[in-house]
Amino acid sequence: MIFATVGSQMPFDRLMEALDKWAGKSTQSMPILAQTGATKFRPKNMRAVESLSPAEFRDAVQAATVIVAHAGMGSVLTALEFGKPLVVLPRLGSKQETRNDHQVATARWLATKPGIFVAMDDAELEGAINRARTQASQSDAISPFATPALIDALKTFIHI
Amino acid sequence: MTRKVLAIASGGGHWVQLLRLRPAFDACDIAYVTVQPSYREQVEKGRFYTVTDATRWSRWDLFRMIFEITWIVLKERPDVVVSTGAASGVVALRVGKWLGAKTIWIDSIANVDEMSLSGKRVRGFADLWLSQWPEVASAEGCAYKGAVL
């Protein structure tokens, strides 16, 4: 299964429409669950839900073989914690998909990390999904916690 | 003496990053504040409050959120207020500082090129003011102590 998510704040129809179009191709048979946010767009080729609780979200990530997401850190970190290959399409400020272009900068950074496949625009989405699917096994799951350096710095500051 | 910590984050990635900091609060009396009631299931120990999810574009929501957070900080009287953003963290740090708490801001790891607007706002009242990127820290004049990832 592919699990696609636009995060908890705003819809991201450009991603949902591109994914739905890809899902409709006859060469594609993977079932897709899409968390769409509050939108009027109704996908034809994917199962859609508007929102998920944290537990439902984690279950969906766990059950999926590939995650497709906006470049939001909630979605990204959860996918990485489960070691799932992750496809990312950043939201654009110019299209009012989020408040500025910080997701584009985030996506450029994420592209340097193993197990993350970035599509900088929707035309690149299919290629990124195919690369994610050919990844032989799961990526190494990241730890559920921050780097020891940051944890220690906070602990020290809290207790002085 | 057990430190009382108030840990506050807005939804989505802000909250996910705050959860990754939990080992830092191990020996503390912790209370969490966020915007989604369903997030409660993710914290086993500690008190849990929700506030109105407000951004800088929603004036009335902001007003409600300010009132709600002020009430929580007055009730909790934390020694430390820590936030991973966004607007809710700005309010909590501001009110917390006025009440004598030490304050910590950790700007989101998503802000790779430039500190967030909220992060810039807390310059005057964040005792530990952090970016998760060394280059951003240099440019902004804040500190870098590591990252959530």
Side-chain angles (χ1 to χ4, degrees):
Chain A
M1 174 187 85
I2 292 179
F3 174 54
T5 175
V6 303
S8 54
Q9 305 297 113
M10 295 173 65
F12 187 17
D13 287 350
R14 185 165 57 98
L15 172 58
M16 291 292 101
E17 287 165 13
L19 193 59
D20 192 42
K21 193 161 157 214
W22 174 77
K25 288 185 166 181
S26 59
T27 45
Q28 198 298 107
S29 60
M30 273 197 108
I32 305 178
L33 171 64
Q35 177 268 322
T36 63
T39 174
K40 291 192 169 54
F41 174 65
R42 295 280 171 267
K44 297 191 188 60
N45 306 302
M46 328 187 277
R47 188 157 80 86
V49 293
E50 195 172 290
S51 66
L52 295 168
S53 72
E56 289 167 337
F57 188 87
R58 293 181 81 85
D59 285 346
V61 172
Q62 182 151 56
T65 46
V66 172
I67 312 299
V68 177
H70 71 148
M73 290 314 299
S75 310
V76 169
L77 286 167
T78 308
L80 293 179
E81 283 173 19
F82 281 93
K84 301 289 175 171
L86 172 64
V87 174
V88 166
L89 179 72
R91 295 171 180 267
L92 295 177
S94 56
K95 293 184 189 273
Q96 273 80 55
E97 292 167 343
T98 184
R99 63 190 173 282
N100 55 30
D101 274 350
H102 74 283
Q103 283 211 3
V104 175
T106 304
R108 282 205 199 99
W109 162 55
L110 292 174
T112 67
K113 303 189 80 63
I116 306 186
F117 307 88
V118 174
M120 289 309 282
D121 66 56
D122 28 301
E124 294 178 11
L125 190 62
E126 179 167 353
I129 294 175
N130 289 334
R131 290 199 308 279
R133 289 176 70 181
T134 57
Q135 184 154 304
S137 57
Q138 293 194 173
S139 325
D140 288 324
I142 59 168
S143 121
F145 301 122
T147 57
L150 181 55
I151 302 280
D152 288 344
L154 295 179
K155 261 192 181 156
T156 304
F157 184 82
I158 285 170
H159 292 286
I160 47 167
Chain B
M1 227 199 81
T2 310
R3 288 278 190 259
K4 278 197 85 175
V5 174
L6 189 71
I8 177 165
S10 301
H14 297 287
W15 174 251
V16 171
Q17 289 177 67
L18 185 68
L19 289 181
R20 292 178 67 79
L21 300 176
R22 271 173 300 173
F25 316 135
D26 264 346
C28 301
D29 176 4
I30 181 87
Y32 294 95
V33 184
T34 186
V35 297
Q36 279 294 337
S38 61
Y39 289 178
R40 183 188 285 270
E41 68 198 46
Q42 297 183 286
V43 291
E44 318 84 14
K45 70 164 197 158
R47 295 172 294 292
F48 182 93
Y49 303 89
T50 49
V51 296
T52 302
D53 192 1
T55 64
R56 63 182 180 273
W57 294 280
S58 46
R59 285 283 150 137
W60 281 118
D61 285 348
L62 266 177
F63 186 72
R64 275 172 58 195
M65 184 186 73
I66 291 168
F67 181 78
E68 290 160 355
I69 291 175
T70 303
W71 183 86
I72 292 166
V73 178
L74 283 170
K75 178 168 182 271
E76 283 285 324
R77 292 282 176 170
D79 300 307
V80 180
V81 179
V82 54
S83 182
T84 47
S88 58
V90 177
V91 175
L93 258 66
R94 177 66 280 181
V95 175
K97 196 90 194 81
W98 277 329
L99 294 175
K102 286 194 303 190
T103 53
I104 306 175
W105 178 271
I106 303 117
D107 208 49
S108 172
I109 197 171
N111 298 313
V112 175
D113 286 343
E114 197 184 350
M115 183 167 255
S116 67
L117 245 53
S118 305
K120 291 181 186 187
R121 272 228 153 82
V122 304
R123 173 194 285 262
F125 46 91
D127 297 313
L128 185 60
W129 183 43
L130 301 177
S131 164
Q132 297 188 49
W133 294 95
E135 304 80 12
V136 173
S138 301
E140 204 60 49
C142 66
Y144 167 75
K145 299 282 183 189
V148 296
L149 174 60

